[in-house]
Amino acid sequence: MDWKIELIFVPVTDVDRAKDFYVNKLGFNADHDQRVSETLRFVQCTPPGSACSIAFGEGIGGTLQPGQQDSIQVVILDADAVLADLHANGVEAEGVDEQPWGRFVTLNDPDGNKWTLQQLPNYG
């Protein structure tokens, strides 16, 4: 039996600002942006090449407050290239942090939600 993580909620204060950041700064695909009611708006974005999306909006998500999501880790192919691309797009990011288990770049979204990007080590 397969288990697939498909959606992670990211708490934000300003939905339009978050959508602009994830789509225009990070290059995520804007999958959905639906206002269901006056109190419910659902936005879903997917990182390039990912099977798992993120969602944010109004009236959705769990109990995390904006800026508290700090546990999303994404695998990337080239930490140096990603860091350069982020800086070119005006994203403040830190790295490359060299560790035996990979090379890491970290960044925060406009609300302070932390993302960790990992280039896996070459064990071969």
Side-chain angles (χ1 to χ4, degrees):
M1 176 179 349
D2 289 342
W3 290 29
K4 297 178 182 177
I5 297 173
E6 293 191 9
L7 191 65
I8 296 172
F9 288 98
V10 176
V12 302
T13 56
D14 183 323
V15 177
D16 292 321
R17 179 181 70 176
K19 183 178 177 185
D20 179 65
F21 177 79
Y22 285 107
V23 173
N24 296 319
K25 298 284 187 178
L26 298 187
F28 287 21
N29 184 58
D31 303 321
H32 303 289
D33 185 347
Q34 183 69 43
R35 177 160 294 283
V36 179
S37 69
E38 188 66 31
T39 59
L40 182 61
R41 179 178 175 193
F42 179 83
V43 178
Q44 179 176 328
C45 299
T46 305
S50 180
C52 184
S53 301
I54 63 167
F56 49 88
E58 299 168 12
I60 63 169
T63 58
L64 284 180
Q65 294 300 310
Q68 290 184 326
Q69 177 60 275
D70 65 356
S71 59
I72 300 175
Q73 186 161 316
V74 179
V75 173
I76 55 175
L77 292 178
D78 184 334
D80 296 304
V82 168
L83 183 61
D85 188 54
L86 290 169
H87 287 163
N89 285 330
V91 176
E92 292 183 28
E94 296 180 19
V96 171
D97 180 18
E98 304 276 349
Q99 298 294 328
W101 52 91
R103 304 177 75 234
F104 295 87
V105 174
T106 57
L107 64 100
N108 292 333
D109 75 4
D111 284 293
N113 296 299
K114 182 179 178 180
W115 288 74
T116 302
L117 314 178
Q118 179 187 19
Q119 176 184 331
L120 296 172
N122 181 358
Y123 291 114

